[in-house]
Amino acid sequence: MSPLTKRERIRSRITAVIGLVLVWNLLWGEFTWMNTISGAVIAVAILLVFPLPPVKFGGRLRPLHVIGFFARFFYDLVVASFQVAFLAFRPGEPKSAIVAVELRVKSDLNMTLVAEAVSLVPGSLIAEADQQTGTLYIHMLGVRDAEHLERLRAEVLHVEARLIRAIGSDEELRRVNAPREEPAT
């Protein structure tokens, strides 16, 4: 990946400050001038004390796909909440498994966003992320059998595809839309 230009570095820092201010206001539960100003001061201090490498965003925002991503995410959130509640009240211990899912787009941003989207849905938690291979190891609750495990793995890849359709580059779109090669057994 090519180094960032000065303009890209500034845009990256501004985006980080805006994101941190948004989170600060959400934590306080209301958007006020005081929360916004104090959030901006704290965000700048955080970025000065803990400088993070800038993330280069090569994609583009597709608003309809962003809406579709969040609609499906909230649907998954509700359905999974009921499934976990059912498992909690059902007699016996629910089966769980750790499944390895190799993502098709191996960027740090993609891995982070997919991991967050998967972890926020009840019943799944990221156990490990291998940056070198682009593999997420996910602890899944309520696994019934090997076929169900494969459906869960496919669902993680669908989350990745929806995310790439929402904010990915044209090259990333080609990667997620390409037929997946099955490993030789």
Side-chain angles (χ1 to χ4, degrees):
M1 187 185 305
S2 62
L4 297 177
T5 65
K6 183 176 181 178
R7 181 179 179 166
E8 289 172 327
R9 279 194 311 274
I10 291 170
R11 186 174 64 196
S12 176
R13 295 227 173 104
I14 290 171
T15 303
V17 168
I18 290 170
L20 288 170
V21 170
L22 178 65
V23 168
W24 182 257
N25 277 277
L26 291 172
L27 288 172
W28 280 102
E30 62 182 337
F31 287 86
T32 65
W33 284 110
M34 188 52 117
N35 283 346
T36 303
I37 292 168
S38 63
V41 169
I42 290 170
V44 170
I46 286 172
L47 292 175
L48 288 174
V49 174
F50 303 108
L52 297 172
V55 176
K56 189 167 188 172
F57 177 67
R60 63 180 233 226
L61 195 63
R62 296 175 187 87
L64 290 178
H65 288 287
V66 170
I67 292 168
F69 174 82
F70 281 110
R72 179 57 194 257
F73 173 75
F74 288 121
Y75 170 81
D76 290 344
L77 195 65
V78 171
V79 169
S81 297
F82 282 108
Q83 289 171 340
V84 170
F86 174 75
L87 289 173
F89 290 110
R90 196 180 90 197
E93 282 190 42
K95 292 181 182 176
S96 62
I98 293 182
V99 60
V101 180
E102 186 176 342
L103 301 178
R104 294 163 288 197
V105 177
K106 304 201 184 327
S107 72
D108 290 343
L109 181 62
N110 183 57
M111 280 189 69
T112 301
L113 294 176
V114 171
E116 287 298 325
V118 168
S119 286
L120 288 171
V121 173
S124 58
L125 181 70
I126 302 300
E128 185 178 345
D130 185 345
Q131 183 184 19
Q132 299 299 320
T133 63
T135 303
L136 294 176
Y137 296 91
I138 306 163
H139 180 268
M140 304 257 186
L141 187 62
V143 176
R144 293 186 289 273
D145 53 26
E147 184 181 309
H148 185 230
L149 195 61
E150 286 306 313
R151 284 198 313 268
L152 293 171
R153 178 180 282 125
E155 183 54 39
V156 173
L157 293 174
H158 288 306
V159 169
E160 177 191 30
R162 285 192 298 272
L163 185 66
I164 293 299
R165 283 186 200 102
I167 63 166
S169 69
D170 292 337
E171 171 59 30
E172 292 169 340
L173 269 173
R174 278 191 287 283
R175 269 191 250 162
V176 297
N177 290 332
R180 188 141 171 104
E181 298 169 9
E182 294 299 322
T185 53

